[in-house]
Amino acid sequence: MVGRVVAITDAVAAASGPMSLAELTRGTGLPKATVRRIANDLVRHEVLELVADGYRLGARLAYYGFRAVNEEGLSVVAPPHLRELSLRAHGEVSWCGEFFDGEMVFRQLVFGHEYREAVRNQNWPSNARLGSSIALTAAGRLQTAYDAELSERITHTGCAPLTKHSATSPRELGLLLEQARATGLAYEREQVTPGWSCVAAAILDAEERPLGVIGITGRSSAAAQRSTQRALIAAADAIGRDLRSLVRTAIAPRITE
């Protein structure tokens, strides 16, 4: 069964335009009734789309392709921006990550020599261990701000403090999340770890939905400077444009032909 699904999907993907049922039948060598049943089932699951001229790739495959291009794309387009941000912030940790399956996953980090040991000892791959206190981190605040269900839950219950500077009341968190949602920027100073601060900006797609986050974390006050925050927003915008361009190049010909 899986082999037949792959054969039909591959045939549609290889075509220069929509494929009719007859063309799919000839191209795969499968019985017409089998091709119709599997192809229509794939349409119901948005793997294929049925148009006037036949079958073409559907939105679900576009999404999967986007995820793959986005993840790979970050490793291509982000490093120059991260290096520039790290230099601007005097070697502090510049990083980026993507939103995946309800979590922000770190993908790239650039930092000066003095932060090598600190990065090694931190839980950089994930903030999931923080639970609702994720909203205290700059990246987690942006993640929460763009997730209506998560935002409502945290602003209703508040969260456990991580330091004496943590904003944990529902009212405080609500204001911070509202600000993050409105500006696409989040800043925290010693709310997560004493002596550390972080600023992050959301990387958005063409529909203003979050693709990921880019940020600067360190021990100095560089992250609080307006010039650093402006540079961070500019970098997030540039990465978003580059990722959208990669996605269009990789997917658009298959979806729009």
Side-chain angles (χ1 to χ4, degrees):
M1 178 64 179
V2 174
R4 293 176 177 182
V5 169
V6 172
I8 291 171
T9 305
D10 282 349
V12 174
S16 59
M19 291 190 74
S20 68
L21 179 60
E23 290 171 330
L24 263 179
T25 300
R26 288 194 299 270
T28 60
L30 297 171
K32 185 176 182 179
T34 300
V35 173
R36 180 189 292 112
R37 176 173 53 80
I38 293 176
N40 288 341
D41 197 35
L42 291 174
V43 168
R44 284 192 290 274
H45 288 85
E46 299 184 316
V47 174
L48 298 182
E49 181 182 1
L50 182 59
V51 295
D53 297 328
Y55 298 92
R56 65 182 182 182
L57 296 184
R60 184 178 293 271
L61 281 187
Y63 171 77
Y64 289 153
F66 165 78
R67 295 300 334 173
V69 172
N70 182 36
E71 181 175 340
E72 180 65 24
L74 276 176
S75 68
V76 174
V77 304
H81 298 287
L82 296 178
R83 288 193 291 270
E84 182 179 344
L85 288 171
S86 185
L87 287 172
R88 181 184 290 271
H90 311 295
E92 293 195 334
V93 184
S94 62
W95 51 266
C96 70
E98 67 164 330
F99 292 124
F100 182 73
D101 197 23
E103 185 178 333
M104 208 289 291
V105 182
F106 289 96
R107 293 299 183 194
Q108 297 280 325
L109 292 90
V110 175
F111 46 89
H113 177 77
E114 66 176 294
Y115 283 97
R116 182 175 301 174
E117 193 65 28
V119 169
R120 185 180 303 163
N121 294 331
Q122 293 294 318
N123 187 35
W124 286 99
S126 172
N127 279 329
R129 62 186 174 84
L130 297 178
S132 61
S133 296
I134 192 175
L136 299 176
T137 72
R141 190 174 304 156
L142 288 168
Q143 176 185 347
T144 304
Y146 288 99
D147 185 326
E149 182 179 343
L150 181 59
S151 180
E152 182 178 358
R153 184 167 70 248
I154 289 179
T155 53
H156 178 71
T157 63
C159 67
L162 300 177
T163 74
K164 66 179 181 180
H165 301 287
S166 297
T168 57
S169 73
R171 181 178 180 279
E172 287 178 297
L173 289 171
L175 291 173
L176 290 172
L177 291 172
E178 183 179 340
Q179 183 181 48
R181 194 178 303 111
T183 64
L185 188 76
Y187 171 71
E188 65 88 4
R189 182 170 180 80
E190 297 190 282
Q191 292 202 49
V192 179
T193 305
W196 288 75
S197 62
C198 181
V199 60
I203 302 170
L204 304 176
D205 66 12
E207 284 73 41
E208 299 294 305
R209 295 172 301 193
L211 305 176
V213 181
I214 183 170
I216 299 172
T217 301
R219 298 189 183 96
S220 77
S221 59
Q225 297 174 4
R226 290 191 179 276
S227 61
T228 301
Q229 296 181 7
R230 285 195 297 269
L232 191 64
I233 292 174
D237 289 342
I239 290 172
R241 287 194 301 271
D242 290 344
L243 287 175
R244 292 194 294 272
S245 178
L246 285 175
V247 171
R248 285 194 298 270
T249 300
I251 298 176
R254 294 296 186 192
I255 301 302
T256 61
E257 285 178 348

